[in-house]
Amino acid sequence: MSAPQFGAPEPGRTYRDRPAAFGIVEREGRIALVQVEKPGHRAWLDLPGGARDPGEDEAQAVVREYGEETGLKVRAGEVYARADQRFINTDGEAFNNRAGFLVLTLLGEDPALKIEDDHTLVWLAPAEALARLRHEAHAWAVAAWMRLPS
C-alpha cells in the first residue's frame, strides 16, 4: 500500500524526495510540537522531526531531531504510519517529505541536546494540534495516532 500524498504541487516545480521521520510523544494528555519562527515568515507548528541524515534509519533520525529541536530525550517505537508531504521551505527549495511517523516514549529532558534556536517546544491537546499543524500530513498522522489501540 502506498503512503498518502499531501500538498498540491506548484506548476513547474520539481519536488525532491527527502526521507524524513517524525514522532509523537505524549505527556499528561498533550503531545509535543515545535513552534518554528524564521525571519520574514509567520510562525508555524510542526511535529518534531525532520530529514534523515545519510546512514540514519527512521528511529535514529527522530531521536536526534527531537533532541535538537526540543531538548527532549526520547526512545523510538515502531513506525505506525507513513505519509508524503510536498512543501517549499523558507529558502525556496521544493521537497516531498517521504515520512515515517513513530510513537515515542519520553525519557527525560537534556537542554544540552537543543541546538535549533528557532524551534520552541509546545505541548498541545491532540485535537488542538490537528487544527493548528502546518502540514496536512502531520495532522493526518496525529489523527491516525489518536485511533491507535491503547
Side-chain angles (χ1 to χ4, degrees):
M1 180 164 100
S2 63
Q5 176 71 63
F6 295 94
E10 286 186 10
R13 282 239 190 216
T14 300
Y15 291 77
R16 185 164 44 103
D17 281 349
R18 183 170 87 160
F22 299 90
I24 295 184
V25 66
E26 180 183 16
R27 182 179 74 185
E28 299 172 358
R30 299 182 184 278
I31 61 173
L33 304 176
V34 285
Q35 180 172 304
V36 184
E37 298 183 50
K38 300 274 187 182
H41 299 273
R42 274 180 80 190
W44 66 84
L45 292 173
D46 281 340
L47 287 173
R52 291 167 44 191
D53 286 345
E56 274 185 330
D57 64 24
E58 288 165 320
Q60 292 166 326
V62 77
V63 167
R64 175 184 53 75
E65 288 279 352
Y66 249 81
E68 292 174 358
E69 294 179 357
T70 69
L72 296 176
K73 292 173 60 175
V74 296
R75 180 176 58 245
E78 296 298 315
V79 173
Y80 71 89
R82 294 191 180 283
D84 300 342
Q85 176 75 53
R86 288 186 200 100
F87 74 104
I88 299 169
N89 74 5
T90 55
D91 294 327
E93 296 177 87
F95 290 104
N96 188 29
N97 271 349
R98 313 272 315 209
F101 294 88
L102 295 84
V103 176
L104 307 174
T105 302
L106 181 60
L107 301 176
E109 296 180 26
D110 184 352
L113 294 173
K114 187 171 182 327
I115 60 172
E116 296 194 26
D117 293 335
D118 54 6
H119 288 58
T120 302
L121 175 62
V122 177
W123 294 92
L124 291 181
E128 186 178 354
L130 281 173
R132 296 186 53 197
L133 282 161
R134 168 179 64 152
H135 290 308
E136 295 166 290
H138 288 200
W140 176 87
V142 169
W145 171 82
M146 291 170 73
R147 296 179 58 91
L148 291 174
S150 304

